[in-house]
Amino acid sequence: MTIRVEERRCAAVVRNDEGDATRLYEVDIDLTILAENRVRCSNVPLIRGSFARENEDRMDRLEDAELARAVRGLDRLQANAPELAARISELRLRSSGEATLYMQPARIRVELPAPFGDAATFQKLYAAVAYLEKQPEPGGVIDLRGEGVVVLPD
């Protein structure tokens, strides 16, 4: 008999503001809840928003299409540009589908289109972050919601 154990990798910490109580969840790429209010994983982004929770066959999951797209998008960013993904501290999802990304250490706020996670958005983000970090005072706001990129240094 062979037993194969595969540990699920934490993809994000999700702060769920749904309902009366705020909860923190560690989730994997499939939004399966790995831990609730016991955050142990590190070097993953915090995603904030209001998300529905599903309890199916004793396997707790968060069930939200926008959250799923965000987690998959962040996973693709991690695979393609790990040095950029490592700088993400927080992602706030709004009900409109748009998102705000907070990056460190240069205090950069990024307004993202709905949905985000495509290669073109990541390329714009990479270029805009590189531009801001070359400024005498790094930091500012990047708006990727339109056709072009708007960069406002601090």
Side-chain angles (χ1 to χ4, degrees), residues 66 69 92-100 111-115 145:
E66 293 300 321
R69 274 193 287 276
R92 289 187 189 173
L93 296 177
R94 294 188 288 279
S95 58
S96 65
E98 292 180 341
T100 302
E111 298 297 332
L112 295 167
R145 294 176 291 186

Side-chain angles (χ1 to χ4, degrees), residues 66-128:
E66 293 300 321
L67 176 61
R69 274 193 287 276
V71 170
R72 283 193 305 271
L74 290 171
D75 191 60
R76 277 192 302 278
L77 183 62
Q78 176 67 33
N80 295 313
E83 65 284 347
L84 187 61
R87 295 175 168 184
I88 297 171
S89 60
E90 183 177 336
L91 175 67
R92 289 187 189 173
L93 296 177
R94 294 188 288 279
S95 58
S96 65
E98 292 180 341
T100 302
L101 187 67
Y102 297 91
M103 302 184 76
Q104 56 186 0
R107 294 183 346 265
I108 298 173
R109 187 181 89 213
V110 183
E111 298 297 332
L112 295 167
F116 82 96
D118 60 343
T121 301
F122 291 152
Q123 288 173 342
K124 289 181 193 178
L125 175 62
Y126 198 89

Side-chain angles (χ1 to χ4, degrees), residues 10-149:
C10 181
V13 173
V14 176
R15 178 180 165 168
N16 192 359
D17 297 324
E18 179 76 17
D20 295 335
T22 298
R23 301 226 179 250
L24 290 174
Y25 302 106
E26 288 182 355
V27 298
D28 69 359
I29 191 74
D30 299 319
L31 301 185
T32 301
I33 297 171
L34 305 175
E36 181 177 333
N37 289 330
R38 291 186 323 262
V39 177
R40 292 173 293 210
C41 63
S42 59
N43 301 322
V44 296
L46 171 69
I47 302 175
R48 290 180 60 179
S50 295
F51 313 108
R53 182 175 173 169
E54 176 185 288
N55 189 341
E56 182 179 303
D57 298 328
R58 298 185 312 172
M59 181 68 97
D60 285 341
R61 296 185 71 233
L62 293 175
E63 193 65 35
D64 187 90
E66 293 300 321
L67 176 61
R69 274 193 287 276
V71 170
R72 283 193 305 271
L74 290 171
D75 191 60
R76 277 192 302 278
L77 183 62
Q78 176 67 33
N80 295 313
E83 65 284 347
L84 187 61
R87 295 175 168 184
I88 297 171
S89 60
E90 183 177 336
L91 175 67
R92 289 187 189 173
L93 296 177
R94 294 188 288 279
S95 58
S96 65
E98 292 180 341
T100 302
L101 187 67
Y102 297 91
M103 302 184 76
Q104 56 186 0
R107 294 183 346 265
I108 298 173
R109 187 181 89 213
V110 183
E111 298 297 332
L112 295 167
F116 82 96
D118 60 343
T121 301
F122 291 152
Q123 288 173 342
K124 289 181 193 178
L125 175 62
Y126 198 89
V129 168
Y131 171 79
L132 270 181
E133 289 185 340
K134 289 182 181 178
Q135 300 305 307
E137 292 290 326
V141 178
I142 300 169
D143 193 340
L144 301 176
R145 294 176 291 186
E147 287 293 317
V149 177

